[in-house]
């Protein structure tokens, strides 16, 4: 079956602009996670959805970052007034549900570059 | 505090040799899951193997095995008969209920297989 997809694969924007990053999880997966990965580092948790609601948004760095998942499937990560420090690869993952043994499957990521 | 430590920033291994990538973890939870992911230069995070804290036997998946030593809090990845295609970043990650099942990541080990 289809894996996790993310669009766009690359996004170049100017400082101060607004961007949206999209994640389409594996069909039927209720848990969805967003992570951010800077060069040479492990991923950093941003936000977790169980169904439509954000169950944990404690990883969002500030109020410029927001994410939605209105129908419990596709999710959009929104970044307002982008800064150069937002440049990173944004990874989305989904799993059948939350729980210790449920593997998170990752999409290919969106590489965001803020000039 | 929940933490994953990978002490080997980089490793060079001769093709066809076995390689062990180190991972130690710290958690106060009794129930947790340990994961290894591979990230090639293409950027996608690929799930390799999973070990649950209550699993009595070490996990194996093809050429991958996880050397789980609970008392020492270590979960080393062993790759047998390494291949050139194994060259990649390898991340150890932990999932605990106390952190809403997000993955907590190590810094990664860059593995290079020499022909």
């Amino acid at each position: 079956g289809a894996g996790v997809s993310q669009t766009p694969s690359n996004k170049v924007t100017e400082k101060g602009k607004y961007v949206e990053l999209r994640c389409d999880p594996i069909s039927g997966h209720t848990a969805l996670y967003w992570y951010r990965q800077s060069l040479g580092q492990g991923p950093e948790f941003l936000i977790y959805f169980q169904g439509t609601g954000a169950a944990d948004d404690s990883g969002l760095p500030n109020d410029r970052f927001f994410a939605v998942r209105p129908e419990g499937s596709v999710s959009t990560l929104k970044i307002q007034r982008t800064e150069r420090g937002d440049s990173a690869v944004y990874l989305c993952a989904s799993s059948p549900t939350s729980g210790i043994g449920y593997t998170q499957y990752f999409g290919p990521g969106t590489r965001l570059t803020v000039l | 505090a929940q933490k994953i430590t990978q002490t080997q920033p980089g490793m060079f291994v001769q093709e066809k040799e076995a390689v062990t990538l180190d991972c130690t973890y710290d958690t106060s939870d009794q129930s947790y899951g340990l994961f290894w992911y591979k990230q090639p230069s293409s950027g996608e995070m690929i799930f390799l193997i999973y070990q649950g804290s209550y699993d009595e036997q070490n996990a194996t998946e093809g050429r991958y095995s996880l050397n789980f030593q609970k008392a020492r809090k270590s979960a080393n990845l062993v790759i047998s008969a390494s291949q050139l295609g194994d060259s990649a970043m390898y991340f150890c990650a932990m999932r605990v209920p106390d952190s809403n099942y997000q993955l907590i990541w190590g810094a990664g080990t860059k593995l290079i297989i020499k022909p």
Side-chain angles (χ1 to χ4, degrees):
Chain A
V4 179
S5 62
Q6 292 186 248
T7 55
S9 55
N10 278 285
K11 177 70 176 178
V12 180
T13 190
E14 293 180 346
K15 180 175 178 296
K17 299 289 188 182
Y18 168 82
V19 296
E20 289 190 353
L21 311 179
R22 175 188 167 109
C23 172
D24 203 337
I26 293 172
S27 178
H29 282 193
T30 61
L32 186 147
Y33 297 79
W34 282 98
Y35 295 87
R36 178 169 71 174
Q37 187 177 24
S38 299
L39 193 62
Q41 298 181 20
E44 170 194 19
F45 168 75
L46 295 177
I47 187 169
Y48 153 56
F49 288 90
Q50 180 61 44
T52 59
D56 183 356
D57 64 358
S58 62
L60 295 177
N62 51 60
D63 61 5
R64 295 186 298 106
F65 288 74
F66 189 70
V68 295
R69 194 185 185 199
E71 297 178 357
S73 179
V74 171
S75 176
T76 305
L77 178 65
K78 308 180 181 193
I79 310 174
Q80 298 178 322
R81 304 183 304 280
T82 51
E83 299 178 357
R84 292 195 179 89
D86 298 336
S87 296
V89 176
Y90 289 81
L91 296 169
C92 175
S94 72
S95 68
T97 184
S98 62
I100 293 291
Y102 292 100
T103 298
Q104 292 183 24
Y105 295 94
F106 284 78
T110 293
R111 182 175 299 277
L112 176 65
T113 304
V114 181
L115 301 177
Chain B
Q2 330 280 5
K3 189 178 180 182
I4 292 282
T5 302
Q6 294 181 256
T7 57
Q8 305 152 310
M11 288 186 71
F12 287 89
V13 172
Q14 200 68 39
E15 189 181 8
K16 298 180 185 175
E17 289 184 352
V19 55
T20 298
L21 304 180
D22 295 341
C23 172
T24 58
Y25 60 92
D26 190 16
T27 180
S28 55
D29 285 291
Q30 296 302 306
S31 179
Y32 51 87
L34 297 159
F35 299 79
W36 278 91
Y37 285 84
K38 172 184 179 182
Q39 189 175 41
S41 56
S42 60
E44 188 158 358
M45 198 69 78
I46 301 167
F47 165 71
L48 295 178
I49 195 166
Y50 162 77
Q51 180 85 41
S53 59
Y54 293 119
D55 294 342
E56 294 186 351
Q57 292 196 330
N58 287 342
T60 60
E61 288 285 350
R63 293 187 300 113
Y64 304 108
S65 60
L66 201 152
N67 184 1
F68 181 46
Q69 298 187 40
K70 195 170 182 177
R72 296 181 60 189
K73 293 193 173 180
S74 76
N76 298 340
L77 177 70
V78 180
I79 307 174
S80 63
S82 58
Q83 302 171 356
L84 296 177
D86 294 333
S87 294
M89 283 290 290
Y90 287 81
F91 290 96
C92 179
M94 177 171 64
R95 202 172 189 188
V96 295
D98 193 39
S99 64
N100 248 330
Y101 304 106
Q102 62 170 274
L103 284 168
I104 299 160
W105 298 82
T109 295
K110 183 166 186 175
L111 176 65
I112 297 175
I113 307 299
K114 299 182 292 183

